[in-house]
Amino acid sequence: DMKVTQMPRYLIKRMGENVLLECGQDMSHETMYWYRQDPGLGLQLIYISYDVDSNSEGDIPKGYRVSRKKREHFSLILDSAKTNQTSVYFCASSPDNYEQYFGPGTRLTVL
Amino acid sequence: GDSVTQTEGLVTLTKGLPVMLNCTYQTTYSPFLFWYVQHLNEAPKLLLKSSTDNKRTEHQGFYATLHKSSSSFHLQKSSVQLSDSALYFCALTGANTGKLTFGHGTILRVHP
């Protein structure tokens, strides 16, 4: 069964703190994604990674960076988190650049 | 760039009635369309996909037909159930960049 995992599932941080969100997949998919989901805005693409150290900005990359050192792991980093980065973050992976498999999400609150 | 439009933000229906959720798109590439369903506090899951013009695709009682002439991929079901209550996203990829463009989503609420 194809699986994407995310850690942590819930996180509360203070403004200015650094945040690390982790994503893993056990399917050897080359392409991975980070999205954020806000009410009424759907899913917005933050970054896409086509393979190890091959990352590309999505539609809303400002305030975020990513790291992919192993094919199965993709991290999202917020350096000095802001209150407007409070959101639900989803990681996804794709075997073919078409169909995407989503993780369970991380609910991040920045106070 | 690519865009996806879902005209309904919220659809409320009584169990057993038919439903159609609208999805239209714009792209300059050959389109590949998807419907994702997201139940409360869960991850989005793929429901349907299609890149074939005028061919109906079905899954779990839901169906959709890609019509390139009208740039549409509406989601339908003949008889909704309480368990169909969820957020439904239409999504598009055109250029094999791996990027999906999502619509804003339609909440479907089914009541007894």
Short mmCIF file of all heavy atoms in Angstrom, two decimals, chain A residues 32-91:
data_model
loop_
_atom_site.label_atom_id
_atom_site.label_comp_id
_atom_site.label_asym_id
_atom_site.label_seq_id
_atom_site.Cartn_x
_atom_site.Cartn_y
_atom_site.Cartn_z
N MET A 32 8.31 14.98 -5.52
CA MET A 32 7.62 15.26 -4.26
C MET A 32 7.25 16.72 -4.19
O MET A 32 7.85 17.56 -4.87
CB MET A 32 8.50 14.85 -3.07
CG MET A 32 8.80 13.36 -3.01
SD MET A 32 9.69 12.86 -1.53
CE MET A 32 8.41 12.97 -0.28
N TYR A 33 6.27 17.03 -3.33
CA TYR A 33 5.68 18.36 -3.29
C TYR A 33 5.42 18.78 -1.84
O TYR A 33 5.17 17.95 -0.98
CB TYR A 33 4.31 18.36 -3.99
CG TYR A 33 4.28 17.75 -5.36
CD1 TYR A 33 4.22 16.37 -5.51
CD2 TYR A 33 4.27 18.54 -6.51
CE1 TYR A 33 4.17 15.78 -6.78
CE2 TYR A 33 4.21 17.96 -7.77
CZ TYR A 33 4.16 16.59 -7.89
OH TYR A 33 4.11 16.02 -9.13
N TRP A 34 5.41 20.09 -1.66
CA TRP A 34 4.85 20.68 -0.44
C TRP A 34 3.78 21.68 -0.83
O TRP A 34 3.99 22.54 -1.69
CB TRP A 34 5.92 21.40 0.38
CG TRP A 34 6.69 20.49 1.28
CD1 TRP A 34 7.98 20.06 1.13
CD2 TRP A 34 6.23 19.90 2.50
NE1 TRP A 34 8.34 19.23 2.16
CE2 TRP A 34 7.28 19.12 3.02
CE3 TRP A 34 5.03 19.94 3.21
CZ2 TRP A 34 7.18 18.39 4.21
CZ3 TRP A 34 4.92 19.23 4.39
CH2 TRP A 34 5.99 18.46 4.89
N TYR A 35 2.61 21.54 -0.18
CA TYR A 35 1.48 22.44 -0.36
C TYR A 35 1.08 23.01 1.00
O TYR A 35 1.31 22.41 2.03
CB TYR A 35 0.25 21.69 -0.88
CG TYR A 35 0.34 21.12 -2.27
CD1 TYR A 35 0.80 19.82 -2.48
CD2 TYR A 35 -0.07 21.87 -3.37
CE1 TYR A 35 0.86 19.28 -3.76
CE2 TYR A 35 -0.03 21.34 -4.65
CZ TYR A 35 0.44 20.04 -4.83
OH TYR A 35 0.48 19.51 -6.10
N ARG A 36 0.40 24.14 0.95
CA ARG A 36 -0.34 24.60 2.12
C ARG A 36 -1.81 24.74 1.72
O ARG A 36 -2.13 25.03 0.57
CB ARG A 36 0.21 25.89 2.71
CG ARG A 36 0.12 27.11 1.86
CD ARG A 36 0.66 28.34 2.60
NE ARG A 36 -0.30 28.87 3.59
CZ ARG A 36 -0.05 29.88 4.41
NH1 ARG A 36 1.14 30.47 4.39
NH2 ARG A 36 -0.96 30.31 5.26
N GLN A 37 -2.66 24.50 2.72
CA GLN A 37 -4.10 24.58 2.48
C GLN A 37 -4.72 25.54 3.47
O GLN A 37 -4.62 25.35 4.68
CB GLN A 37 -4.76 23.20 2.61
CG GLN A 37 -6.24 23.22 2.28
CD GLN A 37 -6.87 21.85 2.36
OE1 GLN A 37 -6.46 21.00 3.14
NE2 GLN A 37 -7.86 21.62 1.52
N ASP A 38 -5.37 26.54 2.94
CA ASP A 38 -6.08 27.53 3.75
C ASP A 38 -7.54 27.57 3.29
O ASP A 38 -7.82 27.37 2.10
CB ASP A 38 -5.44 28.91 3.59
CG ASP A 38 -3.97 28.90 4.00
OD1 ASP A 38 -3.73 28.76 5.21
OD2 ASP A 38 -3.09 29.01 3.13
N PRO A 39 -8.45 27.84 4.21
CA PRO A 39 -9.88 27.84 3.86
C PRO A 39 -10.17 28.76 2.67
O PRO A 39 -9.74 29.92 2.64
CB PRO A 39 -10.54 28.36 5.14
CG PRO A 39 -9.59 27.98 6.22
CD PRO A 39 -8.21 28.13 5.63
N GLY A 40 -10.89 28.22 1.69
CA GLY A 40 -11.28 29.02 0.54
C GLY A 40 -10.22 29.21 -0.52
O GLY A 40 -10.50 29.77 -1.58
N LEU A 41 -9.01 28.75 -0.25
CA LEU A 41 -7.91 28.96 -1.21
C LEU A 41 -7.43 27.67 -1.85
O LEU A 41 -6.54 27.69 -2.68
CB LEU A 41 -6.73 29.64 -0.53
CG LEU A 41 -6.97 31.06 -0.05
CD1 LEU A 41 -5.72 31.61 0.61
CD2 LEU A 41 -7.39 31.97 -1.21
N GLY A 42 -7.97 26.58 -1.45
CA GLY A 42 -7.55 25.32 -2.04
C GLY A 42 -6.13 24.96 -1.63
O GLY A 42 -5.65 25.35 -0.57
N LEU A 43 -5.47 24.23 -2.49
CA LEU A 43 -4.10 23.78 -2.24
C LEU A 43 -3.14 24.63 -3.06
O LEU A 43 -3.25 24.73 -4.27
CB LEU A 43 -3.96 22.31 -2.64
CG LEU A 43 -4.64 21.33 -1.69
CD1 LEU A 43 -4.95 20.03 -2.41
CD2 LEU A 43 -3.77 21.07 -0.48
N GLN A 44 -2.19 25.25 -2.36
CA GLN A 44 -1.22 26.10 -3.03
C GLN A 44 0.16 25.45 -2.98
O GLN A 44 0.63 25.07 -1.90
CB GLN A 44 -1.17 27.46 -2.35
CG GLN A 44 -2.50 28.22 -2.38
CD GLN A 44 -2.41 29.52 -1.63
OE1 GLN A 44 -2.00 30.55 -2.18
NE2 GLN A 44 -2.78 29.52 -0.37
N LEU A 45 0.80 25.37 -4.13
CA LEU A 45 2.09 24.69 -4.23
C LEU A 45 3.21 25.60 -3.73
O LEU A 45 3.40 26.71 -4.24
CB LEU A 45 2.35 24.28 -5.68
CG LEU A 45 3.66 23.58 -5.95
CD1 LEU A 45 3.72 22.22 -5.25
CD2 LEU A 45 3.85 23.41 -7.46
N ILE A 46 3.97 25.09 -2.76
CA ILE A 46 5.09 25.85 -2.21
C ILE A 46 6.38 25.51 -2.96
O ILE A 46 7.07 26.39 -3.47
CB ILE A 46 5.26 25.56 -0.71
CG1 ILE A 46 3.96 25.83 0.04
CG2 ILE A 46 6.39 26.45 -0.15
CD1 ILE A 46 4.00 25.37 1.49
N TYR A 47 6.70 24.23 -2.99
CA TYR A 47 7.89 23.75 -3.69
C TYR A 47 7.61 22.40 -4.31
O TYR A 47 6.79 21.63 -3.81
CB TYR A 47 9.09 23.61 -2.72
CG TYR A 47 9.96 24.83 -2.61
CD1 TYR A 47 9.74 25.77 -1.61
CD2 TYR A 47 11.02 25.03 -3.48
CE1 TYR A 47 10.55 26.90 -1.51
CE2 TYR A 47 11.84 26.14 -3.38
CZ TYR A 47 11.59 27.08 -2.39
OH TYR A 47 12.39 28.19 -2.28
N ILE A 48 8.35 22.11 -5.37
CA ILE A 48 8.33 20.81 -6.00
C ILE A 48 9.77 20.31 -6.09
O ILE A 48 10.69 21.10 -6.33
CB ILE A 48 7.65 20.86 -7.39
CG1 ILE A 48 7.60 19.50 -8.04
CG2 ILE A 48 8.34 21.86 -8.29
CD1 ILE A 48 6.78 19.48 -9.33
N SER A 49 9.95 19.02 -5.88
CA SER A 49 11.28 18.43 -5.98
C SER A 49 11.22 17.28 -6.98
O SER A 49 10.41 16.37 -6.84
CB SER A 49 11.73 17.90 -4.62
OG SER A 49 12.95 17.19 -4.76
N TYR A 50 12.09 17.35 -7.99
CA TYR A 50 12.06 16.34 -9.04
C TYR A 50 12.97 15.15 -8.72
O TYR A 50 12.92 14.12 -9.38
CB TYR A 50 12.45 16.96 -10.38
CG TYR A 50 11.41 17.95 -10.87
CD1 TYR A 50 11.62 19.33 -10.76
CD2 TYR A 50 10.20 17.52 -11.41
CE1 TYR A 50 10.65 20.24 -11.19
CE2 TYR A 50 9.24 18.42 -11.85
CZ TYR A 50 9.48 19.78 -11.74
OH TYR A 50 8.53 20.67 -12.17
N ASP A 51 13.84 15.34 -7.73
CA ASP A 51 14.72 14.26 -7.24
C ASP A 51 15.67 14.88 -6.23
O ASP A 51 15.53 16.07 -5.89
CB ASP A 51 15.48 13.60 -8.39
CG ASP A 51 15.79 12.12 -8.11
OD1 ASP A 51 15.92 11.75 -6.92
OD2 ASP A 51 15.92 11.36 -9.07
N VAL A 52 16.62 14.12 -5.76
CA VAL A 52 17.57 14.61 -4.76
C VAL A 52 18.25 15.88 -5.28
O VAL A 52 18.74 15.92 -6.41
CB VAL A 52 18.61 13.53 -4.45
CG1 VAL A 52 19.74 14.10 -3.59
CG2 VAL A 52 17.97 12.34 -3.76
N ASP A 53 18.22 16.93 -4.44
CA ASP A 53 18.86 18.21 -4.75
C ASP A 53 18.40 18.81 -6.08
O ASP A 53 19.14 19.56 -6.73
CB ASP A 53 20.39 18.05 -4.77
CG ASP A 53 20.96 17.93 -3.37
OD1 ASP A 53 20.37 18.52 -2.44
OD2 ASP A 53 22.00 17.26 -3.20
N SER A 54 17.18 18.54 -6.48
CA SER A 54 16.62 19.09 -7.71
C SER A 54 15.25 19.70 -7.39
O SER A 54 14.20 19.11 -7.68
CB SER A 54 16.48 18.01 -8.78
OG SER A 54 15.94 18.56 -9.97
N ASN A 55 15.29 20.88 -6.77
CA ASN A 55 14.09 21.51 -6.24
C ASN A 55 13.72 22.75 -7.04
O ASN A 55 14.60 23.44 -7.58
CB ASN A 55 14.30 21.89 -4.78
CG ASN A 55 14.78 20.71 -3.95
OD1 ASN A 55 14.27 19.60 -4.09
ND2 ASN A 55 15.76 20.95 -3.08
N SER A 56 12.43 23.01 -7.11
CA SER A 56 11.95 24.14 -7.90
C SER A 56 10.86 24.87 -7.14
O SER A 56 10.05 24.24 -6.46
CB SER A 56 11.41 23.63 -9.24
OG SER A 56 10.93 24.68 -10.04
N GLU A 57 10.85 26.18 -7.25
CA GLU A 57 9.82 26.96 -6.57
C GLU A 57 8.44 26.68 -7.16
O GLU A 57 8.28 26.50 -8.37
CB GLU A 57 10.13 28.45 -6.67
CG GLU A 57 11.37 28.87 -5.91
CD GLU A 57 11.63 30.36 -6.01
OE1 GLU A 57 11.00 31.02 -6.86
OE2 GLU A 57 12.45 30.87 -5.22
N GLY A 58 7.46 26.68 -6.27
CA GLY A 58 6.09 26.58 -6.70
C GLY A 58 5.48 27.97 -6.83
O GLY A 58 6.16 28.93 -7.20
N ASP A 59 4.22 28.08 -6.46
CA ASP A 59 3.53 29.35 -6.63
C ASP A 59 3.73 30.32 -5.46
O ASP A 59 3.63 31.53 -5.63
CB ASP A 59 2.03 29.08 -6.81
CG ASP A 59 1.76 28.24 -8.05
OD1 ASP A 59 2.43 28.48 -9.08
OD2 ASP A 59 0.91 27.33 -7.98
N ILE A 60 4.01 29.78 -4.27
CA ILE A 60 4.15 30.64 -3.08
C ILE A 60 5.39 30.25 -2.27
O ILE A 60 5.30 29.91 -1.10
CB ILE A 60 2.89 30.60 -2.19
CG1 ILE A 60 2.52 29.14 -1.84
CG2 ILE A 60 1.71 31.26 -2.89
CD1 ILE A 60 1.58 29.05 -0.65
N PRO A 61 6.60 30.37 -2.82
CA PRO A 61 7.79 29.90 -2.11
C PRO A 61 8.33 30.85 -1.05
O PRO A 61 9.15 30.45 -0.21
CB PRO A 61 8.81 29.76 -3.24
CG PRO A 61 8.40 30.83 -4.21
CD PRO A 61 6.88 30.86 -4.15
N LYS A 62 7.87 32.10 -1.05
CA LYS A 62 8.47 33.10 -0.17
C LYS A 62 8.26 32.74 1.29
O LYS A 62 7.14 32.46 1.71
CB LYS A 62 7.86 34.48 -0.46
CG LYS A 62 8.53 35.61 0.30
CD LYS A 62 7.93 36.97 -0.08
CE LYS A 62 8.62 38.08 0.70
NZ LYS A 62 8.03 39.41 0.38
N GLY A 63 9.36 32.75 2.04
CA GLY A 63 9.30 32.43 3.46
C GLY A 63 9.56 30.96 3.76
O GLY A 63 9.54 30.56 4.93
N TYR A 64 9.78 30.17 2.71
CA TYR A 64 10.00 28.73 2.87
C TYR A 64 11.27 28.31 2.14
O TYR A 64 11.68 28.93 1.17
CB TYR A 64 8.84 27.94 2.27
CG TYR A 64 7.48 28.28 2.83
CD1 TYR A 64 6.66 29.22 2.20
CD2 TYR A 64 7.01 27.67 3.98
CE1 TYR A 64 5.42 29.53 2.69
CE2 TYR A 64 5.76 27.97 4.48
CZ TYR A 64 4.97 28.91 3.83
OH TYR A 64 3.73 29.20 4.34
N ARG A 65 11.87 27.23 2.62
CA ARG A 65 12.89 26.56 1.84
C ARG A 65 12.74 25.07 2.05
O ARG A 65 12.04 24.63 2.98
CB ARG A 65 14.30 27.04 2.21
CG ARG A 65 14.73 26.82 3.64
CD ARG A 65 16.11 27.43 3.86
NE ARG A 65 16.50 27.34 5.27
CZ ARG A 65 17.22 26.35 5.77
NH1 ARG A 65 17.65 25.36 4.99
NH2 ARG A 65 17.54 26.34 7.05
N VAL A 66 13.38 24.30 1.19
CA VAL A 66 13.23 22.85 1.23
C VAL A 66 14.59 22.18 1.16
O VAL A 66 15.58 22.79 0.78
CB VAL A 66 12.33 22.33 0.09
CG1 VAL A 66 10.88 22.78 0.27
CG2 VAL A 66 12.88 22.75 -1.26
N SER A 67 14.57 20.91 1.54
CA SER A 67 15.77 20.10 1.46
C SER A 67 15.39 18.68 1.08
O SER A 67 14.46 18.11 1.66
CB SER A 67 16.49 20.09 2.81
OG SER A 67 17.61 19.22 2.78
N ARG A 68 16.11 18.15 0.10
CA ARG A 68 15.90 16.76 -0.28
C ARG A 68 17.27 16.12 -0.54
O ARG A 68 17.84 16.29 -1.61
CB ARG A 68 15.01 16.65 -1.51
CG ARG A 68 14.54 15.22 -1.74
CD ARG A 68 13.36 15.16 -2.61
NE ARG A 68 12.93 13.80 -2.86
CZ ARG A 68 12.32 13.43 -3.98
NH1 ARG A 68 12.11 14.33 -4.93
NH2 ARG A 68 11.95 12.18 -4.14
N LYS A 69 17.73 15.39 0.45
CA LYS A 69 19.03 14.74 0.39
C LYS A 69 18.92 13.23 0.11
O LYS A 69 19.90 12.59 -0.25
CB LYS A 69 19.80 14.96 1.70
CG LYS A 69 20.08 16.43 1.98
CD LYS A 69 20.90 17.07 0.86
CE LYS A 69 21.22 18.51 1.13
NZ LYS A 69 21.94 19.14 -0.02
N LYS A 70 17.74 12.70 0.33
CA LYS A 70 17.45 11.31 -0.01
C LYS A 70 16.12 11.28 -0.77
O LYS A 70 15.23 12.10 -0.49
CB LYS A 70 17.32 10.43 1.25
CG LYS A 70 18.61 10.25 2.02
CD LYS A 70 18.38 9.33 3.21
CE LYS A 70 19.68 9.13 3.98
NZ LYS A 70 19.49 8.23 5.16
N ARG A 71 15.98 10.37 -1.70
CA ARG A 71 14.77 10.35 -2.52
C ARG A 71 13.53 10.19 -1.67
O ARG A 71 12.48 10.76 -1.99
CB ARG A 71 14.85 9.22 -3.56
CG ARG A 71 13.61 9.14 -4.44
CD ARG A 71 13.78 8.18 -5.57
NE ARG A 71 14.61 8.75 -6.61
CZ ARG A 71 14.85 8.16 -7.79
NH1 ARG A 71 14.32 6.97 -8.04
NH2 ARG A 71 15.60 8.73 -8.69
N GLU A 72 13.62 9.47 -0.57
CA GLU A 72 12.41 9.17 0.20
C GLU A 72 12.04 10.25 1.22
O GLU A 72 11.01 10.14 1.87
CB GLU A 72 12.55 7.81 0.90
CG GLU A 72 13.69 7.73 1.90
CD GLU A 72 14.98 7.22 1.26
OE1 GLU A 72 15.14 7.38 0.04
OE2 GLU A 72 15.82 6.69 2.00
N HIS A 73 12.89 11.27 1.39
CA HIS A 73 12.62 12.29 2.39
C HIS A 73 12.63 13.69 1.77
O HIS A 73 13.53 14.02 0.98
CB HIS A 73 13.68 12.25 3.51
CG HIS A 73 13.56 11.04 4.37
ND1 HIS A 73 14.63 10.26 4.71
CD2 HIS A 73 12.49 10.47 4.98
CE1 HIS A 73 14.23 9.25 5.47
NE2 HIS A 73 12.94 9.36 5.64
N PHE A 74 11.67 14.50 2.19
CA PHE A 74 11.56 15.87 1.67
C PHE A 74 11.14 16.76 2.83
O PHE A 74 10.08 16.56 3.42
CB PHE A 74 10.54 15.90 0.54
CG PHE A 74 10.48 17.18 -0.24
CD1 PHE A 74 11.61 17.95 -0.48
CD2 PHE A 74 9.28 17.61 -0.80
CE1 PHE A 74 11.56 19.11 -1.23
CE2 PHE A 74 9.22 18.77 -1.56
CZ PHE A 74 10.36 19.51 -1.77
N SER A 75 11.99 17.74 3.16
CA SER A 75 11.73 18.59 4.33
C SER A 75 11.35 19.99 3.89
O SER A 75 11.86 20.52 2.90
CB SER A 75 12.99 18.67 5.19
OG SER A 75 13.40 17.39 5.62
N LEU A 76 10.46 20.58 4.69
CA LEU A 76 10.07 21.98 4.51
C LEU A 76 10.54 22.75 5.73
O LEU A 76 10.27 22.35 6.86
CB LEU A 76 8.55 22.10 4.36
CG LEU A 76 8.00 23.51 4.17
CD1 LEU A 76 8.39 24.05 2.79
CD2 LEU A 76 6.47 23.52 4.31
N ILE A 77 11.24 23.85 5.49
CA ILE A 77 11.83 24.64 6.57
C ILE A 77 11.28 26.06 6.52
O ILE A 77 11.25 26.69 5.46
CB ILE A 77 13.36 24.67 6.46
CG1 ILE A 77 13.91 23.24 6.50
CG2 ILE A 77 13.97 25.51 7.56
CD1 ILE A 77 14.72 22.86 5.32
N LEU A 78 10.85 26.52 7.68
CA LEU A 78 10.44 27.91 7.83
C LEU A 78 11.46 28.56 8.77
O LEU A 78 11.54 28.21 9.95
CB LEU A 78 9.05 28.01 8.44
CG LEU A 78 7.84 27.63 7.61
CD1 LEU A 78 7.81 26.14 7.30
CD2 LEU A 78 6.55 28.04 8.31
N ASP A 79 12.26 29.46 8.22
CA ASP A 79 13.22 30.19 9.03
C ASP A 79 12.53 31.43 9.59
O ASP A 79 12.09 32.29 8.83
CB ASP A 79 14.43 30.62 8.20
CG ASP A 79 15.23 29.42 7.71
OD1 ASP A 79 15.50 28.53 8.53
OD2 ASP A 79 15.57 29.38 6.51
N SER A 80 12.40 31.49 10.88
CA SER A 80 11.74 32.61 11.54
C SER A 80 10.27 32.70 11.12
O SER A 80 9.87 33.55 10.32
CB SER A 80 12.45 33.94 11.20
OG SER A 80 11.91 34.99 11.95
N ALA A 81 9.50 31.77 11.66
CA ALA A 81 8.10 31.64 11.26
C ALA A 81 7.29 32.90 11.55
O ALA A 81 7.54 33.63 12.52
CB ALA A 81 7.48 30.45 12.00
N LYS A 82 6.31 33.10 10.70
CA LYS A 82 5.42 34.25 10.83
C LYS A 82 4.01 33.76 11.10
O LYS A 82 3.64 32.65 10.73
CB LYS A 82 5.48 35.09 9.55
CG LYS A 82 6.86 35.62 9.22
CD LYS A 82 6.88 36.29 7.86
CE LYS A 82 8.29 36.79 7.53
NZ LYS A 82 9.31 35.73 7.64
N THR A 83 3.19 34.65 11.69
CA THR A 83 1.83 34.24 12.03
C THR A 83 1.02 33.88 10.79
O THR A 83 0.14 33.02 10.85
CB THR A 83 1.12 35.34 12.83
OG1 THR A 83 1.16 36.57 12.09
CG2 THR A 83 1.78 35.56 14.19
N ASN A 84 1.33 34.53 9.65
CA ASN A 84 0.55 34.21 8.44
C ASN A 84 0.97 32.89 7.79
O ASN A 84 0.46 32.51 6.73
CB ASN A 84 0.62 35.35 7.42
CG ASN A 84 2.02 35.63 6.92
OD1 ASN A 84 2.96 34.90 7.22
ND2 ASN A 84 2.17 36.71 6.16
N GLN A 85 1.90 32.19 8.42
CA GLN A 85 2.25 30.86 7.96
C GLN A 85 1.49 29.77 8.73
O GLN A 85 1.72 28.58 8.51
CB GLN A 85 3.76 30.64 8.06
CG GLN A 85 4.54 31.52 7.06
CD GLN A 85 6.03 31.37 7.16
OE1 GLN A 85 6.62 31.49 8.25
NE2 GLN A 85 6.69 31.13 6.03
N THR A 86 0.61 30.20 9.60
CA THR A 86 -0.32 29.26 10.23
C THR A 86 -1.19 28.65 9.14
O THR A 86 -1.83 29.38 8.37
CB THR A 86 -1.21 29.99 11.25
OG1 THR A 86 -0.39 30.41 12.35
CG2 THR A 86 -2.32 29.10 11.75
N SER A 87 -1.17 27.33 9.06
CA SER A 87 -1.87 26.65 7.96
C SER A 87 -1.79 25.15 8.17
O SER A 87 -1.16 24.67 9.12
CB SER A 87 -1.23 27.03 6.62
OG SER A 87 -1.98 26.53 5.53
N VAL A 88 -2.41 24.43 7.25
CA VAL A 88 -2.22 22.98 7.18
C VAL A 88 -1.31 22.70 5.99
O VAL A 88 -1.57 23.17 4.88
CB VAL A 88 -3.55 22.23 7.02
CG1 VAL A 88 -3.30 20.73 6.96
CG2 VAL A 88 -4.50 22.56 8.16
N TYR A 89 -0.24 21.97 6.24
CA TYR A 89 0.75 21.69 5.21
C TYR A 89 0.66 20.23 4.79
O TYR A 89 0.66 19.32 5.62
CB TYR A 89 2.16 22.00 5.74
CG TYR A 89 2.38 23.48 5.93
CD1 TYR A 89 2.01 24.11 7.12
CD2 TYR A 89 2.93 24.26 4.91
CE1 TYR A 89 2.18 25.47 7.28
CE2 TYR A 89 3.11 25.63 5.08
CZ TYR A 89 2.72 26.22 6.26
OH TYR A 89 2.89 27.57 6.42
N PHE A 90 0.57 20.03 3.48
CA PHE A 90 0.52 18.68 2.93
C PHE A 90 1.74 18.41 2.08
O PHE A 90 2.16 19.24 1.27
CB PHE A 90 -0.73 18.49 2.06
CG PHE A 90 -2.00 18.36 2.85
CD1 PHE A 90 -2.84 19.44 3.01
CD2 PHE A 90 -2.34 17.14 3.41
CE1 PHE A 90 -4.02 19.32 3.74
CE2 PHE A 90 -3.51 17.01 4.14
CZ PHE A 90 -4.35 18.10 4.30
N CYS A 91 2.26 17.22 2.25
CA CYS A 91 3.29 16.71 1.38
C CYS A 91 2.65 15.71 0.43
O CYS A 91 1.65 15.06 0.77
CB CYS A 91 4.37 16.01 2.23
SG CYS A 91 5.66 15.19 1.31
#
